[in-house]
Structure formats: C-alpha cells, structure tokens
C-alpha cells in the first residue's frame, strides 16, 4: 500500500504544478496571497474589515483545490463557471467599497496600506471576473453557408 501511495504522489504534484501554470491557477494563487496581505494590514490597523479578506481567501483556496484536483468536472450539479464568476465579481465590488471606506477614514499607515492593497485586490478580482465570464467563453461560430444558395 505504501508503494501505491508513493507512485501516486508524483501524479498529484504534477497536477498541482500544471494547474499553477494556467491563467486560472495564477489568478487564484495571487488572490490568496493578496487576501492574506490585506488581512494582515487590516488586522494591524482595525479588525472591523478583516472578515472580507478571510472569506475571500477561503473561497479562493476552496476553488483552487477544486480546480487543481479536477473535482469541478466530477461535481456536475454546480455550474462552476457562473459560481467562479459571481465569486470574483462580488469580491471585486466588496473590496472596492471596503477600500474606499478605509481610504476615506485612513488615520494610520496600515489603514492606508490596506486601502491601497484593497484597490489592487479590486483590480485582481475584477480581471478574474472578466476572464471567467461564462458568456464570453462561449464562442459563436457562423453557420455554414451553401455557395449554391444565392440571389
């Protein structure tokens, strides 16, 4: 049994590293890291806004694991493109609102830093929402035309 576990470990590592090279994998890793940095800045200044970073970091980590392990193809009752789009879109809106509130109130170095990083998080989540928009991914192909049909 230990030999079969040892043989499957490189396959798992290969799946992880191959997903990290995709655009979606890079977006999710960047979101997790940026949410962690914003969480540290919010916690250093005021803990009132840190829950947004925690929730978005957890959502991004869960989606990262689902995409990395290819679980999204095995769980078919969830529409994954729309779930991912709404997660990123709502996160962009919430980070924008929170960052504006923090920057307007900004009475310390960590608050201003958290507000600016929140604006970067807004841009990152907005780009993620733009690139994962499900209707944008469905390309329309032109119907074949018959050259004999004509005026």
């Amino acid at each position: 049994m230990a030999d079969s576990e040892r043989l499957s470990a490189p396959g798992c590592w290969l799946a992880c590293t191959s997903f990290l090279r995709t655009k979606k994998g890079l977006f999710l890793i960047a979101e997790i890291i940026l949410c962690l940095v914003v969480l540290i800045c919010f916690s250093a200044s005021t803990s009132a806004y840190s829950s947004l970073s925690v929730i978005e970091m957890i959502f991004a980590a869960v989606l990262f694991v689902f995409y990395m392990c290819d679980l999204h193809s095995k769980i078919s009752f969830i529409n994954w493109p729309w779930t991912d789009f709404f997660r990123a879109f709502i996160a962009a809106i919430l980070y924008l609102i929170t960052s504006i509130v923090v920057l307007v109130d900004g009475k310390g170095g960590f608050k201003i830093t958290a507000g600016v990083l929140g604006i970067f998080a807004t841009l990152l989540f907005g780009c993620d929402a733009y690139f994962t928009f499900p209707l944008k991914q469905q390309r329309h192909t032109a119907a074949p035309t018959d050259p004999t049909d004509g005026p």
Side-chain angles (χ1 to χ4, degrees):
M1 181 160 173
D3 290 333
S4 64
E5 289 176 4
R6 206 175 313 136
L7 290 175
S8 66
C12 180
W13 180 252
L14 182 65
C16 179
T17 56
S18 66
F19 178 69
L20 279 175
R21 292 185 193 119
T22 64
K23 186 183 336 181
K24 188 65 193 170
L26 291 175
F27 269 123
L28 287 172
I29 287 295
E31 289 169 2
I32 292 168
I33 291 170
L34 191 57
C35 284
L36 181 64
V37 172
V38 171
L39 173 66
I40 291 169
C41 290
F42 277 147
S43 298
S45 62
T46 179
S47 61
Y49 305 110
S50 61
S51 61
L52 173 64
S53 297
V54 171
I55 290 171
E56 291 304 327
M57 185 172 51
I58 290 172
F59 283 159
V62 166
L63 275 174
F64 179 78
V65 169
F66 269 64
Y67 283 131
M68 180 185 65
C69 296
D70 203 30
L71 293 175
H72 67 284
S73 64
K74 294 177 179 72
I75 301 174
S76 60
F77 61 89
I78 296 175
N79 190 340
W80 291 103
W82 281 106
T83 302
D84 194 18
F85 168 72
F86 282 123
R87 176 201 61 89
F89 184 71
I90 290 171
I93 291 172
L94 291 177
Y95 263 114
L96 179 65
I97 293 169
T98 304
S99 298
I100 290 173
V101 168
V102 167
L103 287 173
V104 167
D105 185 44
K107 295 180 182 172
F110 282 115
K111 269 192 175 181
I112 293 172
T113 304
V116 170
L117 288 175
I119 296 292
F120 285 131
T122 298
L123 295 173
L124 180 66
F125 280 103
C127 286
D128 189 11
Y130 174 76
F131 286 120
T132 59
F133 186 58
L135 296 179
K136 184 180 148 276
Q137 294 175 358
Q138 297 171 355
R139 302 280 187 231
H140 177 74
T141 57
T145 58
D146 188 12
T148 59
D149 291 343

